[in-house]
Amino acid sequence: MSPKASPRTRVLRALSVLALALAPLPAPAAEETAARVVDDPTVVLVRVVQAAMSPVSADVVLTGDIQAQAQTNVAFRTNGKVAERRVEVGDHVSADQVLAVLEPLVQRANLDNARAALVSAEAQLTQAKVTFERQKQLLAGGYTTRPTYDNAEQQLRTSQAAVDSAKAALGTSEEQLSYTELRAGVPGIVLSRTFEVGQVVQAGQSVMVLAQDGPRDAVFNVYEALTANPPEDKAIQIILQSDPSVTALGRVREISPTVDPQSGTVRVKMGLDSTPPAMTLGAVVIGRGRFGGREAVVLPWSALYRFDDRPAVWIYDPGTSTVSVRGVEIDRYGGTDIVLKGGVQPGESVVVAGIQFLRPGQRVALAPRSAAAGEGGR
């Protein structure tokens, strides 16, 4: 006679029997199994599959977008208050086009001062030339002294240097005034801007980002495992998601040396051999590539369990008829199965049904082989 079971044990036992009763089992086997579970309330009925190495699909499909290979941060070369903005995000600009203008009050004042200083220096130079020529004639007639002539010559040289300095200062002021106009420098498309009219900006502060005209990249975020198995063909087919008839060929141009800590992916840039007009900046594209085939342990989704905030599976020990939980490392997720990178060895038995009733060391009984094959076969 079995000892009287607690309410919790009776509930678990009933749920276990109900879960297995729904499967298409042969009537005699189902009755015998249910009888065993009822007779022994400590045993949970489960189904298992034997882990084996299976070929992993070599075709990989990725989703990314089109980006420019070169981007330019545009900044003013002088401080000032923004007086005018002439372009918006998405506009195409030429290399010498003016994008924005600062209020040029200070620069114009400096330019006027430089012009006035040049006029004054030129006037002094003219006077020095006249004085020098007079002293030169007087010295030839013996009507002046040599020191007076030398002083006139020195004054002429000083005045000439002052004019040269004033011209250089004028050039600097004109250049400073030109800095109040923000020019693209390269042809491209405005991707973003971070300023408004009336805002005070500093020299060197990035206010716009331009995507330069020229080659384009298809950028994908891929799992690190894919980078360890490069594609057999260097070329990857790039397909425009909105119009699958638009295609291009891409080749790996750059692989990020770091892994994104949030998504666990690596950024890969595929340089396009030629960019169709429909593949504009930001367009969503699909990349199809055939990566090097390999073998790995593949399990159905139903085997996946969460233990200590990590993926895990239940391993069945046929010698003791008990189960234990084991952490696994996921390579990638499929539509109906998971591909393991480690944690389960070929030949081990993995529980694929009944895991909701298990605890470490739980005694279990196996469902009939015919039912297990129908549930867990892949």
Side-chain angles (χ1 to χ4, degrees):
M1 178 68 67
S2 301
K4 185 177 182 180
S6 65
R8 180 177 180 275
T9 302
R10 289 197 300 271
V11 171
L12 292 178
R13 185 171 56 192
L15 290 175
S16 177
V17 173
L18 179 61
L20 293 168
L22 296 177
L25 295 176
E31 293 176 357
E32 293 176 4
T33 301
R36 288 199 305 270
V37 173
V38 172
D39 291 341
D40 191 349
T42 63
V43 176
V44 174
L45 193 62
V46 297
R47 295 176 183 168
V48 301
V49 295
Q50 190 173 29
M53 300 296 288
S54 303
V56 178
S57 175
D59 291 331
V60 178
V61 179
L62 305 170
T63 302
D65 61 343
I66 299 297
Q67 298 182 14
Q69 286 193 5
Q71 296 184 1
T72 302
N73 294 326
V74 183
F76 286 100
R77 300 175 67 180
T78 186
N79 304 334
K81 183 179 180 181
V82 179
E84 184 180 357
R85 187 185 69 245
R86 299 184 181 178
V87 295
E88 294 291 346
V89 175
D91 291 349
H92 186 274
V93 298
S94 58
D96 58 348
Q97 182 175 342
V98 177
L99 310 180
V101 179
L102 297 178
E103 292 183 353
L105 300 179
V106 175
Q107 289 77 11
R108 283 182 179 172
N110 293 338
L111 179 60
D112 292 340
N113 290 336
R115 287 173 177 170
L118 177 60
V119 171
S120 175
E122 288 176 341
Q124 292 179 7
L125 176 60
T126 301
Q127 182 64 34
K129 287 181 178 179
V130 172
T131 302
F132 176 72
E133 290 297 331
R134 183 183 301 114
Q135 291 297 322
K136 184 178 181 180
Q137 293 175 2
L138 292 175
L139 182 62
Y143 297 104
T144 187
T145 62
R146 186 71 185 185
T148 304
Y149 170 81
D150 292 342
N151 289 337
E153 184 180 14
Q154 181 64 32
Q155 185 63 34
L156 176 61
R157 293 178 178 177
T158 301
S159 299
Q160 183 63 55
V163 170
D164 294 340
S165 177
K167 288 181 178 180
L170 178 61
T172 300
S173 298
E174 291 175 342
E175 187 175 9
Q176 289 293 326
L177 179 62
S178 69
Y179 290 167
T180 60
E181 294 181 342
L182 180 65
R183 297 183 182 273
V186 293
I189 298 175
V190 180
L191 293 181
S192 64
R193 61 175 177 83
T194 57
F195 73 102
E196 297 291 345
V197 174
Q199 180 178 341
V200 177
V201 297
Q202 303 296 321
Q205 173 188 345
S206 178
V207 295
M208 281 188 180
V209 178
L210 295 182
Q212 296 184 20
D213 290 345
R216 296 289 188 250
D217 283 337
V219 181
F220 302 95
N221 292 323
V222 305
Y223 290 103
E224 185 182 10
L226 290 181
T227 62
N229 296 280
E232 299 174 352
D233 190 356
K234 297 296 182 181
I236 300 297
Q237 186 181 24
I238 308 298
I239 304 171
L240 185 64
Q241 186 183 43
S242 59
D243 186 0
S245 63
V246 179
T247 62
L249 289 180
R251 304 178 188 277
V252 177
R253 189 180 67 85
E254 178 182 315
I255 300 178
S256 174
T258 60
V259 178
D260 189 326
Q262 296 182 349
S263 62
T265 58
V266 177
R267 172 160 291 193
V268 177
K269 296 182 179 180
M270 304 276 187
L272 302 184
D273 292 348
S274 61
T275 307
M279 288 188 181
T280 58
L281 290 176
V284 178
V285 294
I286 298 174
R288 295 182 180 273
R290 180 172 293 277
F291 287 70
R294 58 190 179 84
E295 290 190 343
V297 174
V298 181
L299 298 175
W301 268 96
S302 59
L304 189 60
Y305 183 74
R306 188 175 184 85
F307 185 76
D308 286 342
D309 291 331
R310 291 185 55 198
V313 296
W314 289 94
I315 303 297
Y316 170 70
D317 185 356
T320 61
S321 297
T322 59
V323 293
S324 60
V325 65
R326 182 185 301 173
V328 295
E329 188 176 0
I330 304 296
D331 186 351
R332 62 184 177 89
Y333 298 92
T336 59
D337 50 32
I338 55 175
V339 180
L340 301 186
K341 185 184 295 185
V344 177
Q345 299 298 323
E348 292 185 310
S349 298
V350 181
V351 180
V352 297
I355 62 175
Q356 65 270 32
F357 307 116
L358 301 180
R359 65 179 187 275
Q362 172 74 50
R363 292 179 57 205
V364 298
L366 299 185
R369 184 176 300 275
S370 59
E375 175 70 21
R378 290 292 184 269

